[in-house]
């Protein structure tokens, strides 16, 4: 169930341009797990990155057909690469594009220095891009991708979990209603852009990546636990805003924390 709990951990968080209290997330994680957490600049500003090369990788990670994994690599046109380079250098959110999460993580991993490319050094990258993974014969948008580095998609928090059925009924009956207007109408039950609740939601997601990094299953079946793998916006808001952690996960987090204390003492 667990692996490699014997060496000292460290967590680095890379914020995105979105209004989220990243410092609050760092304190939450370090207090809860005992692991030192450092808030860095955005991933693209922290490391020496060749934006030209990274742009090619981002272009190749674009999903053009949600039913096919083979399409992404063929879209490395000059125009798309140029646009991707602009996105990287300007650090602006990218709307309307879906990226293969595994390919994005692999592309970012290349720019992490060798001394920090170890499982005990955890990297959590917030991206203002929509990421997806392929399963059950199609791509599904995700809030989170546990990997090295782990990815948290800010756009995914808004778009990946399903919204209430009434939302879709209203949208389908009148496709001309702007999304922002619909989101505002349903704001109790859905997350909106620049939503103050995003910080609390992001805390739960970062905690999931910490469990994964330490070899534990990152998701919980208990609907009131912060580690609950929500498929609906309403469930996501409820599980995260209550701020509860179930008994089983409290024990697991204690194991991670105790191990961190032991390794700290040894050093
Ligand atoms: Zn739990």
């Amino acid at each position: 169930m667990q692996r490699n709990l014997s060496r000292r951990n460290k967590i680095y968080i890379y914020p995105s341009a979105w209004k989220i209290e990243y410092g609050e997330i760092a304190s939450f994680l370090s207090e809860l797990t005992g692991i030192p957490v450092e808030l860095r600049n955005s991933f693209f500003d922290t490391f020496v990155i060749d934006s030209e090369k990274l742009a090619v990788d981002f272009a190749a990670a674009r999903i053009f057909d949600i039913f096919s994994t083979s399409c992404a690599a063929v879209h490395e046109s000059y125009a798309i690469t140029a646009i991707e380079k602009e996105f990287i250098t300007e650090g602006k959110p990218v709307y309307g594009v879906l990226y293969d999460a595994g390919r994005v993580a692999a592309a970012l991993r290349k720019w992490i220095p060798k001394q920090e490319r170890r499982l005990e050094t955890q990297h959590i990258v917030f991206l203002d891009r929509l990421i997806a993974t392929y399963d059950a014969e199609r791509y599904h948008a995700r809030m989170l991708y546990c990997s090295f580095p782990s990815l948290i998609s800010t756009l995914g928090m808004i778009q990946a979990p399903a919204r209430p059925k009434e939302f879709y009924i209203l949208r389908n009956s009148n496709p001309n209603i702007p999304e922002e207007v619909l989101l505002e109408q349903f704001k109790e039950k859905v997350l909106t852009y620049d939503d103050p609740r995003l910080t609390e939601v992001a805390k739960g997601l970062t905690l999931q990546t910490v469990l994964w990094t330490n070899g534990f299953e990152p998701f919980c079946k208990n609907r009131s636990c912060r580690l609950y793998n929500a498929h609906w916006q309403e469930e996501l808001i409820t599980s995260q805003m209550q701020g509860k952690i179930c008994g089983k996960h409290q024990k697991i987090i204690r194991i991670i924390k105790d191990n961190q204390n032991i390794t700290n003492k040894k050093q």
Side-chain angles (χ1 to χ4, degrees):
M1 189 184 174
Q2 71 192 57
R3 65 169 183 241
N4 220 347
L5 273 174
S6 59
R7 292 176 68 182
R8 191 177 181 190
N9 289 296
K10 170 102 192 189
I11 299 170
Y12 293 109
I13 294 179
Y14 305 86
S16 73
W18 268 33
K19 280 183 210 155
I20 290 176
E21 301 298 329
Y22 293 100
E24 219 181 278
I25 296 169
S27 314
F28 164 80
L29 273 191
S30 63
E31 277 164 29
L32 197 61
T33 65
I35 302 171
V37 183
E38 190 180 318
L39 184 58
R40 286 180 157 174
N41 289 324
S42 90
F43 188 89
F44 310 107
D45 293 330
T46 297
F47 299 116
V48 181
I49 288 172
D50 182 332
S51 53
E52 193 85 41
K53 286 185 180 163
L54 183 57
V56 170
D57 284 344
F58 266 121
R62 283 179 171 230
I63 297 163
F64 279 75
D65 174 1
I66 59 163
F67 298 104
S68 166
T69 53
S70 59
C71 60
V74 299
H75 291 279
E76 293 178 28
S77 77
Y78 175 78
I80 290 178
T81 310
I83 291 169
E84 286 293 351
K85 193 178 169 188
E86 216 177 294
F87 284 143
I88 294 165
T89 47
E90 289 184 5
K92 285 185 185 161
V94 183
Y95 296 100
V97 184
L98 202 57
Y99 295 88
D100 179 295
R103 284 174 189 249
V104 170
L108 298 182
R109 188 156 60 238
K110 291 181 193 170
W111 303 101
I112 298 173
K114 208 174 170 188
Q115 66 273 18
E116 290 189 7
R117 241 185 277 157
R118 339 173 286 143
L119 276 178
E120 299 76 27
T121 309
Q122 198 196 331
H123 303 269
I124 305 173
V125 183
F126 280 83
L127 286 177
D128 299 329
R129 294 170 189 247
L130 207 53
I131 54 171
T133 58
Y134 191 86
D135 55 48
E137 297 174 342
R138 57 160 289 189
Y139 274 103
H140 294 270
R142 303 285 176 209
M143 298 182 275
L144 169 74
Y145 184 65
C146 290
S147 180
F148 191 93
S150 285
L151 311 176
I152 294 178
S153 165
T154 53
L155 290 170
M157 289 189 236
I158 313 288
Q159 295 184 24
R163 292 158 181 168
K165 287 200 177 77
E166 312 87 72
F167 178 97
Y168 297 107
I169 293 168
L170 195 57
R171 190 185 65 182
N172 294 343
S173 64
N174 189 349
N176 296 325
I177 302 177
E179 188 179 76
E180 305 90 88
V181 175
L182 275 175
L183 289 175
E184 182 62 26
Q185 178 158 346
F186 285 87
K187 67 181 178 189
E188 297 303 318
K189 295 177 176 182
V190 299
L191 289 167
T192 54
Y193 299 93
D194 284 337
D195 197 310
R197 294 171 295 186
L198 287 171
T199 299
E200 284 306 314
V201 173
K203 284 180 189 174
L205 299 180
T206 55
L207 189 59
Q208 287 171 337
T209 73
V210 175
L211 261 78
W212 179 84
T213 305
N214 286 281
F216 297 98
E217 165 62 38
F219 303 119
C220 184
K221 290 192 171 77
N222 185 328
R223 279 166 188 267
S224 57
C225 178
R226 298 201 88 129
L227 297 157
Y228 180 63
N229 191 14
H231 290 90
W232 293 87
Q233 285 277 339
E234 245 180 309
E235 295 174 338
L236 178 70
I237 293 167
T238 309
S239 60
Q240 297 300 335
M241 298 311 288
Q242 286 174 351
K244 288 181 189 162
I245 296 171
C246 75
K248 178 187 152 192
H249 281 107
Q250 283 184 20
K251 278 183 201 151
I252 288 175
I253 291 163
R254 204 168 304 130
I255 293 170
I256 295 173
K257 193 168 190 174
D258 288 348
N259 177 73
Q260 186 67 23
N261 290 337
I262 292 164
T263 40
N264 280 351
K265 273 181 203 155
K266 277 186 194 161
Q267 290 183 353

